[in-house]
Amino acid sequence: MKKFLLVFLLLINTLILSAQTLQSPEQFLGYKIGTRFTPDYKIVNYFNAVAQAKPSMVKVEKYGETYEGRDLILAYIASPENIQRLDAIRLNNLRLAGITKDKMAPVIDGVPAIVWLSYNVHGNEPSSSEAAMMVLYALVDPNNTQTKDWLKNTVVIIDPCINPDGHDRYVNWYNTSAGAIANAYPDAREHDEAWPYGRTNHYNFDLNRDWAWQTQKESQERMKKYNEWLPQIHVDYHEQGYNDLYYFAPAAEPYHQVITQWQRDFQTQIGKNNAKYFDANGWLYFTREIYDLLYPSYGDTYPTYNGAIGMTYEQGGIGAGLAVKTKDGDTLTLTQRVTHHYTTSLATLEITSNNATKVVAEFKKYFDDTRNATGLEYKTYVLTSNDENKLQAVADLLQKNNIEFGTTPATNFKGYNYFTGKEENYQSEKYQLAVSAYQPKGRFVKVLFEPKSFLSDSATYDITAWAIPYSYGVKAYAVKDKLDVDPYKSADTIKNVEANYGMLIPYASLNAAKLLGYLLQHHVKVRYSEKPFTYKEKNYGRGTLIILKGNNVNDWQQITNDACKQFNIQADEVESGLVEKGADFGSEYIHFVKAPKVAMLTGDEVVAESAGEVWNFFDQTLHYPITQLNTDEIGDVKLNDFDVLIIPNGTYAKLDEKPIEDMLHSFVKNGGRIIALENGAEEIATMDFGFKLKEKGNDTTTKAKPDYSSLKKYGERQRDALPNSIPGAIYKIELDSSHPLAYGYPDFYYTLKQDNKLYEFLKGGWNVGVIKQSNYVSGFVGSKVKPQLKDGLLFGVQQYGKGNVIILADDVLFRMFWENGKLLFSNAVFLVGQ
Ligand SMILES: [Zn+2]
């Protein structure tokens, strides 16, 4: 018994010791880094263990949780002196940027530089999270004197895993698929990841497209912290295809115009320091190719537009597992991948520390210039709307990014009207929101709001236009004068309605659709008006929701009042079914809305991000149920259990099978609705529902001349592809706003065009959204694509039997930040065909 007690005490003692002694990752994990993939919880545990063992140098903070409940953490690593005054350093840094409200002068001398290292934003690019543990240990290891020198003037912030859900999805899948010995054969199953892949978060969102929009929980929580710190240097760690060699800064063109000379120069210096170590080891790498600095929602551009040197580092490695044979006959191992990321991490800290004084001084200069709106053409942006909720959506975005905004008392000024494309006198609607360029975030404001993006080079990695007035569908003016901006006025308060007969709810913004979803979920009976009408001398538009007492649930009034408060819409009381103008509430022009049962296809043939947008929209925005179906198993599903089937963007082979095609035909014939998105619409167009893709018109004007355009130079082949490309540009679509698909819209809509596909005008259906002639607005469109994008349909409704096929050829939920498309999508779900 005594012996047992002794062993027990010894065991406890070892446990306590191990909690207090600093351990290397290998000592802690029990295996050498690179020999296995580490699940996220062990990475978090290691960081916590190091913080416990070395509280004089490391602080770990949990800043949030993922959708699947995993911890999101940051580690702050600094000298013992600096770790004690960490918050003072942070506040001083914000004072350098002019962001704190206290107006205290910042300290400049002896202020440490701040480096933020973000690992593993794409879950199936996991080598950087392994490197993060090694970097942490190198910084605190007492035997490493070099890192202690760096920490004298540098504070390091490590996010070891931005996307834990994706990381674990990949790691669990890999561990499930691989045997005891890693198989380097490239076609082995362990190199062919399963749908929906670990790249994205829970809702299949690419978190490296979400920095500015913050539509996802992980981004929302992280960006709060990021904006509380605003580091001077930020690195976003990635992996690319495993045959590619290492990439680091300087970035490729195009660079956005707001990027300063210092930001260009110092990323080159950082790149040179990385190169020094790669050269010494004989490792290959490239710079200035592929990864440009334009789209504002990346882990390199966002920090750049917020005063930092923001960079992407890419190791070859996606799908490589623990080992894979590459095209040059070598075997790439996880150990090598980790070593490269570890090396650039330390090299970046070294060069920053060597230049810390200059880095801090330039950071201050960036914000001094920005607050004075130096070099910014437009000084004020004024947005105006008759619907407060539309402005509130913009206000939410600005708030997330710590951008100051308010309202301007000025009424008499001229500005560039985004909707007409002309310099015009300002005309106010009921509500207004103004953003001044004279603020710490002024350059970022320009990036988000500028009417036309300027491209120094048109070969870009992503969309080239996103201006908020277009993506949010809000009337706005870009003004060259500095206008006063007062604090933002608080929202109208919503008053309860006491009604004996019914209630009316205007249908003008996404909030109205959310409200409708809420009422349907609570079994409230809702109708909508097909025609505009006048009641008690007030005019109501198409789509106005009508909730009547007759035959409704008992607490219909309470539920509706609650919903109106929640979604910030003022309802009106109705005492009678008789209206002054338009259709009475018992008319056939008043449509009953049946709560739709909605299903969506998922699986291998579906673009995971497209399905993810829909899923996220139902789950997190509409809070309305959706059933995800496996496309492979669709033949076994009783489709008649559903009212709506959503076919996301994808490449469908399964739907080409005759029995499946027959099934879809009978589903629609019997009253079902198909909502077909992007290439999903192209697939349905092959099925004789009565619409088809438009043939690309050839440019006939050049036919007479000899065609030398086929004589291309090999060395310019990438550039030669540009005339055919459209990475993402804005077009103005003409809308038939008398159709339920377009209720709540004016007679136009700004779409993000990412391909050259158009549909022929429907002969027997409703052409709700069409491009006629010169509807181009902003962004890069190749010279050969431009003439093709005219006279065609993008949004339409084709009736078939008792049901409908709804074509949405462009992505109206693009990355969930294309705010203005969400109502259109909701209309397709709730209103069309009812
Ligand atoms: Zn990546």
Side-chain angles (χ1 to χ4, degrees):
M1 193 61 194
K2 257 188 182 170
K3 223 182 200 172
F4 179 77
L5 195 69
L6 194 69
V7 173
F8 181 72
L9 284 174
L10 272 172
L11 196 71
I12 293 283
N13 203 23
T14 343
L15 280 174
I16 291 169
L17 261 183
S18 65
Q20 287 169 346
T21 332
L22 178 66
Q23 291 182 305
S24 69
E26 184 179 351
Q27 286 165 331
F28 182 85
L29 297 167
Y31 55 85
K32 223 176 157 50
I33 290 279
T35 58
R36 287 190 201 174
F37 287 108
T38 310
D40 180 69
Y41 79 93
K42 286 192 181 172
I43 298 170
V44 172
N45 287 350
Y46 179 65
F47 270 73
N48 282 324
V50 171
Q52 263 187 339
K54 265 290 190 200
S56 62
M57 292 185 69
V58 182
K59 247 190 190 164
V60 169
E61 177 189 20
K62 177 179 165 180
Y63 66 85
E65 274 183 19
T66 66
Y67 285 111
E68 294 174 17
R70 293 183 178 85
D71 284 0
L72 294 162
I73 62 161
L74 286 175
Y76 305 89
I77 306 106
S79 65
E81 190 201 0
N82 283 339
I83 206 94
Q84 283 186 11
R85 53 182 192 122
L86 208 54
D87 207 50
I89 291 172
R90 181 183 74 77
L91 279 172
N92 189 65
N93 194 58
L94 293 182
R95 283 181 197 124
L96 288 169
I99 280 180
T100 49
K101 297 273 172 282
D102 61 18
K103 303 283 176 224
M104 272 173 69
V107 180
I108 297 159
D109 290 339
V111 167
I114 300 162
V115 180
W116 183 306
L117 304 174
S118 291
Y119 296 100
N120 208 180
V121 61
H122 292 144
N124 62 358
E125 302 171 7
S127 73
S128 70
S129 278
E130 308 287 340
M133 290 186 278
M134 290 174 63
V135 173
L136 174 68
Y137 184 66
L139 290 172
V140 295
D141 176 7
N143 299 318
N144 191 332
T145 52
Q146 201 183 24
T147 57
K148 304 304 162 305
D149 278 344
W150 303 340
L151 290 177
K152 281 176 190 159
N153 64 7
T154 307
V155 170
V156 184
I157 304 174
I158 292 180
D159 192 327
C161 189
I162 288 187
N163 176 14
D165 291 350
H167 174 92
D168 276 6
R169 193 179 316 133
Y170 174 77
V171 169
N172 290 337
W173 168 83
Y174 180 82
N175 291 337
T176 307
S177 312
I181 300 169
N183 187 336
Y185 182 67
D187 287 330
R189 177 184 159 206
E190 67 205 63
H191 303 297
D192 184 17
E193 206 186 335
W195 199 91
Y197 322 105
R199 175 182 176 89
T200 50
N201 78 342
H202 176 72
Y203 286 109
N204 311 343
F205 270 67
D206 186 334
L207 295 178
N208 191 34
R209 305 291 184 277
D210 195 41
W211 277 68
W213 323 127
Q214 297 164 46
T215 71
Q216 301 299 295
K217 194 169 188 277
E218 292 87 350
S219 316
Q220 287 156 12
E221 287 166 345
R222 186 180 72 257
M223 296 314 292
K224 259 184 231 144
K225 284 285 151 196
Y226 187 90
N227 275 303
E228 283 172 14
W229 274 93
L230 291 182
Q232 279 95 37
I233 311 289
H234 180 265
V235 189
D236 195 32
Y237 284 88
H238 289 262
E239 296 195 84
Q240 45 191 345
Y242 57 70
N243 284 312
D244 294 327
L245 298 157
Y246 204 95
Y247 163 83
F248 46 72
E253 292 286 345
Y255 284 30
H256 195 284
Q257 279 173 302
V258 298
I259 296 173
T260 66
Q261 195 57 44
W262 160 253
Q263 289 177 316
R264 288 172 172 262
D265 292 347
F266 197 63
Q267 56 156 335
T268 305
Q269 281 194 57
I270 293 172
K272 282 183 180 162
N273 204 49
N274 288 338
K276 188 176 84 186
Y277 290 97
F278 273 56
D279 290 343
N281 285 293
W283 300 333
L284 295 178
Y285 56 89
F286 68 95
T287 64
R288 290 165 298 162
E289 289 175 41
I290 305 174
Y291 303 101
D292 61 69
L293 296 175
L294 191 71
Y295 172 75
S297 212
Y298 282 126
D300 51 15
T301 45
Y302 186 95
T304 301
Y305 301 148
N306 286 277
I309 314 296
M311 297 169 296
T312 292
Y313 293 175
E314 297 265 357
Q315 163 66 40
I318 297 176
L322 289 181
V324 72
K325 274 253 183 303
T326 57
K327 66 178 180 201
D328 51 12
D330 287 339
T331 300
L332 176 70
T333 64
L334 178 61
T335 305
Q336 291 165 348
R337 290 152 60 193
V338 175
T339 308
H340 297 164
H341 272 334
Y342 170 74
T343 304
T344 55
S345 299
L346 294 194
T348 302
L349 295 179
E350 179 186 51
I351 185 82
T352 306
S353 169
N354 290 345
N355 296 276
T357 310
K358 175 87 171 147
V359 164
V360 171
E362 287 288 348
F363 177 78
K364 181 174 185 303
K365 184 175 183 307
Y366 176 97
F367 283 99
D368 287 347
D369 289 347
T370 307
R371 287 200 310 281
N372 290 316
T374 309
L376 302 179
E377 182 188 9
Y378 294 113
K379 308 296 189 196
T380 319
Y381 300 89
V382 183
L383 294 79
T384 184
S385 175
N386 284 324
D387 188 276
E388 190 180 21
N389 290 318
K390 294 193 96 165
L391 291 182
Q392 190 54 47
V394 178
D396 289 345
L397 177 74
L398 299 174
Q399 236 149 13
K400 282 179 188 165
N401 289 290
N402 215 5
I403 293 171
E404 298 160 7
F405 60 93
T407 49
T408 180
T411 49
N412 192 11
F413 57 87
K414 267 181 180 309
Y416 176 88
N417 181 339
Y418 286 73
F419 284 0
T420 61
K422 288 176 196 143
E423 195 77 9
E424 285 174 7
N425 287 326
Y426 171 69
Q427 281 190 318
S428 187
E429 295 190 355
K430 193 172 170 197
Y431 303 95
Q432 182 229 68
L433 183 154
V435 189
S436 174
Y438 291 85
Q439 62 165 308
K441 299 274 186 160
R443 277 193 173 90
F444 190 43
V445 168
K446 172 183 162 73
V447 174
L448 294 181
F449 281 91
E450 64 187 341
K452 304 258 180 205
S453 24
F454 173 81
L455 292 168
S456 60
D457 184 310
S458 24
T460 168
Y461 199 65
D462 212 299
I463 64 166
T464 56
W466 48 78
I468 300 303
Y470 299 128
S471 51
Y472 279 62
V474 182
K475 183 178 170 188
Y477 299 81
V479 184
K480 287 181 180 158
D481 304 318
K482 181 182 182 178
L483 304 176
D484 289 339
V485 176
D486 299 335
Y488 195 60
K489 284 186 204 112
S490 59
D492 290 347
T493 44
I494 301 300
K495 290 185 271 308
N496 266 349
V497 170
E498 294 278 339
N500 289 323
Y501 193 84
M503 286 160 83
L504 300 176
I505 298 171
Y507 196 82
S509 70
L510 174 64
N511 280 36
K514 290 196 222 175
L515 189 150
L516 172 58
Y518 181 96
L519 294 180
L520 294 177
Q521 285 257 72
H522 287 79
H523 312 290
V524 173
K525 289 185 176 150
V526 186
R527 292 169 171 81
Y528 74 81
S529 170
E530 185 190 318
K531 292 187 164 179
F533 62 91
T534 307
Y535 178 79
K536 281 197 175 172
E537 291 176 12
K538 186 171 169 182
N539 296 326
Y540 293 86
R542 290 189 170 90
T544 298
L545 303 178
I546 303 161
I547 297 106
L548 301 174
K549 182 182 176 184
N551 253 346
N552 223 322
V553 290
N554 284 336
D555 44 358
W556 66 277
Q557 192 166 153
Q558 180 66 41
I559 297 169
T560 309
N561 273 322
D562 288 350
C564 287
K565 277 223 170 65
Q566 190 178 332
F567 300 105
N568 194 42
I569 299 177
Q570 182 60 54
D572 292 325
E573 169 199 6
V574 176
E575 289 159 353
S576 158
L578 195 65
V579 300
E580 291 137 42
K581 243 188 249 171
D584 295 332
F585 300 148
S587 150
E588 62 170 338
Y589 295 107
I590 307 296
H591 300 257
F592 180 75
V593 183
K594 182 190 167 209
K597 292 197 184 71
V598 184
M600 172 179 69
L601 296 185
T602 65
D604 278 338
E605 299 180 357
V606 177
V607 174
E609 284 83 351
S610 177
E613 283 165 0
V614 175
W615 182 23
N616 184 262
F617 185 62
F618 275 84
D619 247 20
Q620 298 290 332
T621 302
L622 289 180
H623 304 288
Y624 194 88
I626 183 168
T627 302
Q628 303 190 63
L629 303 172
N630 275 323
T631 309
D632 269 353
E633 311 298 330
I634 187 75
D636 299 331
V637 175
K638 276 194 250 151
L639 271 190
N640 291 338
D641 288 344
F642 300 95
D643 304 295
V644 174
L645 176 66
I646 298 169
I647 302 183
N649 193 15
T651 314
Y652 294 94
K654 185 74 190 174
L655 304 187
D656 293 338
E657 293 173 15
K658 186 77 173 72
I660 305 296
E661 214 182 301
D662 291 347
M663 191 178 157
L664 293 177
H665 275 126
S666 74
F667 169 68
V668 180
K669 213 175 241 166
N670 291 328
R673 272 171 280 158
I674 286 178
I675 302 176
L677 310 174
E678 300 177 82
N679 291 344
E682 196 178 352
E683 172 67 26
I684 300 301
T686 64
M687 289 187 188
D688 288 336
F689 276 107
F691 68 97
K692 60 180 184 186
L693 204 64
K694 192 171 146 78
E695 298 280 333
K696 302 287 159 334
N698 283 323
D699 193 355
T700 44
T701 52
T702 55
K703 276 283 157 65
K705 300 173 206 153
D707 186 8
Y708 295 132
S709 70
S710 60
L711 310 176
K712 293 174 190 162
K713 284 220 166 62
Y714 181 75
E716 287 168 9
R717 62 195 183 282
Q718 266 183 331
R719 206 135 291 279
D720 284 342
L722 285 177
N724 292 309
S725 87
I726 171 164
I730 295 176
Y731 273 76
K732 189 174 188 172
I733 288 185
E734 296 182 30
L735 281 187
D736 171 7
S737 57
S738 70
H739 192 281
L741 183 58
Y743 282 175
Y745 287 86
D747 57 4
F748 58 88
Y749 170 84
Y750 291 93
T751 195
L752 182 70
K753 202 79 199 90
Q754 295 181 278
D755 58 33
N756 60 354
K757 285 171 193 158
L758 287 176
Y759 292 83
E760 287 184 357
F761 295 133
L762 303 177
K763 299 220 170 63
W766 303 109
N767 297 283
V768 182
V770 300
I771 286 184
K772 287 181 184 164
Q773 289 295 321
S774 54
N775 293 36
Y776 164 81
V777 176
S778 173
F780 177 77
V781 183
S783 56
K784 290 196 174 152
V785 177
K786 234 178 195 172
Q788 294 167 356
L789 281 174
K790 60 180 185 193
D791 298 325
L793 171 117
L794 285 169
F795 305 143
V797 178
Q798 178 70 50
Q799 204 172 351
Y800 183 83
K802 289 184 198 152
N804 288 283
V805 176
I806 300 152
I807 307 152
L808 299 175
D810 288 344
D811 186 355
V812 293
L813 300 176
F814 183 70
R815 294 178 188 165
M816 283 301 278
F817 94 88
W818 210 265
E819 189 68 20
N820 199 30
K822 294 174 185 172
L823 179 62
L824 199 82
F825 188 84
S826 309
N827 290 347
V829 172
F830 291 129
L831 301 185
V832 174
Q834 295 257 27

